[in-house]
Amino acid sequence: SKIFSEDEDGFDGNCDGYVINTNAENLLNFLSEYTEYTENAQSIVNAIKNKKDEILIIKNINVDENFQGCGYGGEILSYMLNESYCSTAILICDTSESQKEGFILEKFYENNDFKTIYYTNNYPIMVFPTDVAEDIKKILDNVGKNKMLNP
């Protein structure tokens, strides 16, 4: 977790996330909160474990409304990836949160090398970087558990 302040960082915002070993139950617990079927969450976990030993779970990124549209969201993402020393990240894109007019959260993450691997309750589960996400999606497709729309 980190809080950004205008005085120290030039903008107000915050982020929350943590790195986990993919063999731990934390990833399954995180995905089970959002995934409608435990077997689908388990399939996603197995696909990720097949590719990576560690993953950064991004729980929240927030830029104060007064500072949105200035590139600070990308700065927070870079900060989280650099500070975690993790080359892979996962998040649930909360498309129900209100955004500044014209801002599409899923597109923001796509522009920062995230790719949707699965949709759960209309929320995209997104993985960074795109090449890892594509490998995970292929594994899910082979397992037959992927209910994702083909983008």
Side-chain angles (χ1 to χ4, degrees):
S1 289
K2 177 167 173 56
I3 296 174
F4 299 89
S5 69
E6 185 175 8
D7 293 338
E8 288 185 27
D9 304 295
F11 69 99
D12 292 328
N14 61 68
C15 63
D16 188 18
Y18 52 93
V19 175
I20 58 150
N21 181 305
T22 57
N23 288 316
E25 287 187 18
N26 305 51
L27 182 56
L28 180 61
N29 293 341
F30 170 72
L31 291 171
S32 292
E33 284 182 50
Y34 301 96
T35 308
E36 58 278 332
Y37 302 108
T38 303
E39 66 186 40
N40 292 350
Q42 187 63 60
S43 294
I44 295 168
V45 169
N46 291 342
I48 292 169
K49 283 170 41 175
N50 196 14
K51 298 301 298 174
K52 293 292 178 179
D53 294 329
E54 287 187 330
I55 194 163
L56 168 64
I57 294 178
I58 298 176
K59 298 274 292 177
N60 183 44
I61 292 178
N62 179 51
V63 176
D64 186 90
E65 190 174 328
N66 296 332
F67 298 96
Q68 291 177 1
C70 300
Y72 297 120
E75 283 187 32
I76 293 174
L77 269 175
S78 294
Y79 166 82
M80 292 181 82
L81 291 164
N82 290 333
E83 289 296 311
S84 70
Y85 297 101
C86 201
S87 62
T88 306
I90 190 168
L91 58 84
I92 308 294
C93 183
D94 190 353
T95 53
S96 68
E97 262 187 30
S98 62
Q99 302 294 334
K100 193 173 190 172
E101 188 174 333
F103 182 80
I104 301 169
L105 188 59
E106 189 173 0
K107 290 289 181 204
F108 163 77
Y109 287 118
E110 287 172 354
N111 290 338
N112 283 281
D113 205 24
F114 280 78
K115 182 173 178 78
T116 299
I117 61 164
Y118 186 87
Y119 283 94
T120 179
N121 298 322
N122 296 319
Y123 296 118
I125 297 176
M126 304 184 81
V127 170
F128 168 93
T130 300
D131 60 330
V132 172
E134 288 171 352
D135 289 345
I136 291 167
K137 185 181 173 316
K138 284 178 193 170
I139 293 167
L140 291 173
D141 286 342
N142 288 337
V143 172
K145 300 292 186 197
N146 191 347
K147 295 181 181 178
M148 184 179 128
L149 303 174
N150 289 321

